[in-house]
Amino acid sequence: MVTTSITVDDTGFLRLVLARADDALVLGHRLSEWCGHAPILEEDLSLANIALDLIGQARSLYALAGAASGHDEDQLAYLRDDRQYRNLLMLEQPNGDFACTIARLFLYSAYIDPYWRMLATSGSELAPVAAKAAKESAYHLRHSAEWLIRLGDGTAESHRRAQDALERLFPWTGEMFEPLPDDVAVPVAVWDAQVDAVLAEATLARPAPKWQQTGGRAGRHSEHLGHLLAEMQHLQRAFPGATW
Amino acid sequence: MLHQELARRRDPMWRWERPLLREISMYAQGLNQSDPAAVTASPEAARFQARIDAEDKIEPNDWMPEAYRRTLIRQISQHAHSEIIGMLPEGNWITRAPSLRRKAALLAKVQDEGGHGLYLYAAAETLGVTREDLVDQLLAGKAKYSSIFNYPTLTWADIGAIGWLVDGAAIMNQIPLCRCSFGPYARAMIRVCKEESFHQRQGYEIMLTLCRGTAEQKAMAQDALDRWWWPCLMMFGPPDAASQHSDTSMMWKIKRFTNDGLRQKFIDATVPQGHYLGLSFPDPALRLNPESGHWEHGPIDWEEFRRVVAGGGFCAADRLDARRRAHDEGTWVREAAAAFAAKRTARKEAA
Ligand SMILES: [Fe+2]
Ligand SMILES: [Fe+2]
């Protein structure tokens, strides 16, 4: 029996796991787009490392979701449509320039790094995955913070680009703090302190608070996710049921 | 095994803190500029050849004939460029890989190729050139790279075929280079070869999965073999009778086997693997010679080879465009990193 699109009744635990898994997969996919095209060879390797970590996290989480939903990791990744994806809107946005890619990785890592550390000691079913992810996210945070500081305090052009990236990305950051079922909550103040410290060193200004766009957790995405999935899911959709 | 491979992490070193490198290397290039014909007769040249004959490794600070240095710079930098350009055809499928496991493995593989480029540029730099200058030559269209990467990757099976055949051919070429007379190149090759053989097994496993899959998947695998087979045979370079660089390279133990010898080894190793997959080779003349034990092949289209090396073929313009775009769009990033490093140094000195 060939499976085409699937829908998952993701209430409770499944909502939490899929949200975190989709975040990791979608950001990992975006970062993998840089491979072969980065500004310097060392950065081709670093961004690929980070993408590999994130795809690995997604796989561990889909494995847990699979046990609860009866679908394997590839069915969950390749056979859900965008209305079924639960990732943060910020992570599905196109990469933009290098400043935008780095700023997004930083803003997300500044949230997810303390999150994984809290979750690792929470007694949650996700704790083992969180413990491993926390080691990786610490590196992602350090790497992106170092680059943001370099760009902010580099040349006039890099400063302008980094500041533009922050202005563009900040309206998407509020969504990270939307509560998920049975989850630990990273205090906004923890994220604020991390972000403010790095922006100060980078000589960048924190954008003024304005509207916050949400909807990703409920499957209401921007137009970009559909294209990302069309590309990513192409073979699984074109040859239903084949093994790769 | 796969997982261990993926868990590996490479922390790149930063280049920005080496502002003097360019000047140092220009100085080094000014040295040793004597005419190669004149030095072969010199006592240094005789000592040098004696060391090579004794299988001694030549290290960057040792005396070497200028022609030896030039040959190595050309060969190592072409090899490095090939690794970097080689990221593109496979990178073409990272976002479309058909499963999460394949996606991670392909991304790790393309990343490995970038790492090979890094080691090789570093090996070339020990000879008194800079990576920046070598990359400029590539982007200006003045440097060569392996013609195989000017062919397009059209289907997922091409990712299997590249791993199996292109990495397989690369291994045949590179295993003898692990014993190359120039120390840094030989050591880089030892590291590279371990990863290439992992890539080759991974590619073959993709082919095997396709050939054991649906009829459409098997047809995809056959089509990929049909398109990649001849270009892979060309990877070993022109036939020995027409090769410009072979004799001196053999004398210097940069090269240990002839182009035709390596090509034959590759064919002998690969044909049974293809038959095990249940695939056929696009060469009606391919036959096992029972006396020699070697597979004999039909004529190779060297006209196509010359055209593709010279920038013809499907993708040469696309490949260089992609590298130029990455380089140009990254200029402001490299400038920012250099400016930041300079500021930090100035602050340290002021403190
Ligand atoms: Fe390689
Ligand atoms: Fe390889």
Side-chain angles (χ1 to χ4, degrees):
Chain A
M1 166 63 193
V2 168
T3 313
T4 50
S5 282
I6 59 167
T7 51
V8 177
D9 175 19
D10 57 344
T11 43
F13 176 73
L14 264 176
R15 170 63 60 102
L16 168 66
V17 188
L18 284 176
R20 299 298 174 201
D22 293 348
D23 283 350
L25 178 60
V26 168
L27 182 58
H29 183 97
R30 283 295 187 214
L31 291 175
S32 78
E33 293 173 2
W34 277 101
C35 189
H37 308 278
I40 181 134
L41 188 48
E42 281 80 352
E43 209 45 32
D44 279 294
L45 304 189
S46 299
L47 292 177
N49 261 337
I50 296 172
L52 280 169
D53 286 343
L54 291 168
I55 292 167
Q57 290 171 13
R59 295 182 66 189
S60 307
L61 292 162
Y62 286 136
L64 292 175
S69 70
H71 296 293
D72 67 27
E73 59 174 25
D74 289 328
Q75 290 175 321
L76 290 168
Y78 291 88
L79 299 180
R80 279 179 306 144
D81 290 324
D82 67 338
R83 299 283 281 115
Q84 282 272 304
Y85 261 74
R86 301 297 177 214
N87 60 283
L88 297 165
L89 299 172
M90 179 167 76
L91 306 182
E92 74 201 31
Q93 301 309 305
N95 283 328
D97 65 7
F98 185 70
C100 208
T101 294
I102 286 295
R104 170 173 59 192
L105 180 61
F106 170 70
L107 295 172
Y108 173 71
S109 301
Y111 172 85
I112 207 73
D113 180 56
Y115 172 79
W116 290 130
R117 278 184 283 117
M118 285 172 69
L119 195 64
T121 53
S122 68
S124 153
E125 206 177 320
L126 300 185
V129 176
K132 180 165 181 292
K135 290 187 192 122
E136 296 164 345
S137 62
Y139 163 70
H140 306 169
L141 178 60
R142 190 175 74 238
H143 186 77
S144 56
E146 282 171 1
W147 263 113
L148 195 59
I149 291 166
R150 236 180 245 126
L151 297 180
D153 194 17
T155 62
E157 181 179 7
S158 68
H159 180 88
R160 175 184 61 73
R161 285 176 183 264
Q163 189 65 50
D164 285 353
L166 292 174
E167 302 292 341
R168 235 189 131 104
L169 291 166
F170 253 69
W172 306 110
T173 54
E175 195 179 23
M176 294 190 292
F177 299 93
E178 276 189 356
L180 288 164
D182 302 321
D183 204 9
V184 297
V186 175
V188 183
V190 169
W191 185 78
D192 278 344
Q194 175 67 257
V195 168
D196 290 345
V198 170
L199 292 194
E201 202 179 336
T203 70
L204 292 164
R206 185 176 170 132
K210 41 187 173 184
W211 53 271
Q212 291 288 329
Q213 184 60 54
T214 62
R217 298 300 192 209
R220 283 195 312 280
H221 292 278
S222 63
E223 291 175 349
H224 302 296
L225 183 66
H227 292 277
L228 184 155
L229 295 180
E231 186 175 345
M232 184 175 92
Q233 298 179 339
H234 149 69
L235 279 171
Q236 289 271 355
R237 301 293 196 171
F239 301 94
T243 304
W244 301 92
Chain B
M1 175 64 190
L2 181 65
H3 200 77
Q4 277 174 351
E5 201 65 24
L6 299 185
R8 236 176 357 172
R9 192 189 278 293
R10 252 189 226 106
D11 266 324
M13 53 164 193
W14 292 110
R15 299 178 62 80
W16 331 112
E17 283 85 16
R18 299 159 63 197
L20 287 177
L21 190 68
R22 213 171 263 253
E23 282 127 81
I24 293 169
S25 85
M26 279 162 68
Y27 169 74
Q29 274 177 301
L31 303 174
N32 247 338
Q33 282 292 5
S34 36
D35 179 310
V39 293
T40 42
S42 73
E44 287 125 317
R47 252 196 317 273
F48 173 82
Q49 191 59 46
R51 286 186 63 195
I52 298 240
D53 295 342
E55 299 285 333
D56 240 12
K57 287 279 176 270
I58 307 299
E59 295 300 330
N61 293 325
D62 297 347
W63 186 91
M64 62 185 78
E66 190 52 29
Y68 177 83
R69 181 188 301 274
R70 273 202 309 270
T71 299
L72 279 168
I73 291 173
R74 189 189 64 240
Q75 184 171 334
I76 299 173
S77 62
Q78 282 179 10
H79 191 166
H81 299 328
S82 300
E83 300 284 357
I84 301 306
I85 295 281
M87 296 171 79
L88 299 171
E90 292 183 276
N92 185 37
W93 280 89
I94 290 171
T95 55
R96 289 180 289 171
S99 72
L100 294 180
R101 175 173 158 259
R102 295 292 185 203
K103 190 185 193 69
L106 178 59
L107 180 53
K109 185 204 187 236
V110 178
Q111 185 199 33
D112 281 347
E113 307 302 3
H116 300 169
L118 263 190
Y119 315 150
L120 285 161
Y121 283 127
E125 284 189 327
T126 67
L127 290 160
V129 286
T130 64
R131 180 169 124 198
E132 288 75 8
D133 288 338
L134 297 174
V135 169
D136 285 347
Q137 287 168 17
L138 172 69
L139 299 181
K142 289 184 197 148
K144 284 186 188 157
Y145 57 86
S146 179
S147 57
I148 195 76
F149 301 119
N150 285 342
Y151 290 86
T153 50
L154 302 180
T155 72
W156 173 250
D158 290 28
I159 300 308
I162 288 182
W164 171 38
L165 301 172
V166 176
D167 287 82
I171 293 166
M172 285 295 169
N173 269 325
Q174 290 170 13
I175 282 180
L177 288 172
C178 297
R179 293 189 294 132
C180 165
S181 60
F182 185 57
Y185 193 26
R187 290 189 289 272
M189 281 302 102
I190 291 169
R191 239 171 124 173
V192 166
C193 277
K194 281 188 197 142
E195 294 181 344
E196 300 297 12
S197 59
F198 181 73
H199 298 165
Q200 203 246 357
R201 285 201 301 278
Q202 197 169 269
Y204 190 72
E205 202 256 316
I206 290 175
M207 293 301 272
L208 194 60
T209 306
L210 293 173
C211 290
R212 303 280 179 273
T214 64
E216 284 162 310
Q217 286 176 304
K218 185 159 182 194
M220 201 186 267
Q222 181 64 58
D223 171 57
L225 176 58
D226 290 346
R227 282 181 289 110
W228 289 94
W229 176 246
W230 289 109
C232 280
L233 297 189
M234 296 175 195
M235 282 178 73
F236 297 92
D240 296 342
S243 177
Q244 303 168 22
H245 306 297
S246 272
D247 292 349
T248 35
S249 288
M250 293 278 233
M251 179 182 85
W252 284 329
K253 297 193 177 163
I254 294 172
K255 216 175 150 82
R256 289 179 184 261
F257 295 95
T258 66
N259 293 352
D260 288 336
L262 288 168
R263 190 168 12 247
Q264 188 62 54
K265 268 176 185 270
F266 172 74
I267 294 171
D268 289 342
T270 308
V271 169
Q273 293 171 353
H275 290 159
Y276 180 77
L277 292 173
L279 297 177
S280 60
F281 287 81
D283 178 359
L286 190 71
R287 68 177 264 280
L288 184 65
N289 180 328
E291 273 147 50
S292 67
H294 292 302
W295 285 89
E296 291 172 354
H297 61 87
I300 296 174
D301 181 358
W302 292 111
E303 211 29 66
E304 172 176 325
F305 176 71
R306 272 185 286 277
R307 198 170 62 238
V308 177
V309 167
F314 286 93
C315 298
D318 293 344
R319 301 296 183 231
L320 276 186
D321 280 353
R323 288 312 307 162
R324 285 184 192 127
R325 204 177 319 117
H327 187 82
D328 293 348
E329 287 175 6
T331 302
W332 69 269
V333 178
R334 294 188 302 274
E335 285 171 359
F340 178 77
K343 282 186 201 176
R344 197 170 54 178
T345 310
R347 272 178 220 141
K348 260 188 212 145
E349 277 164 12

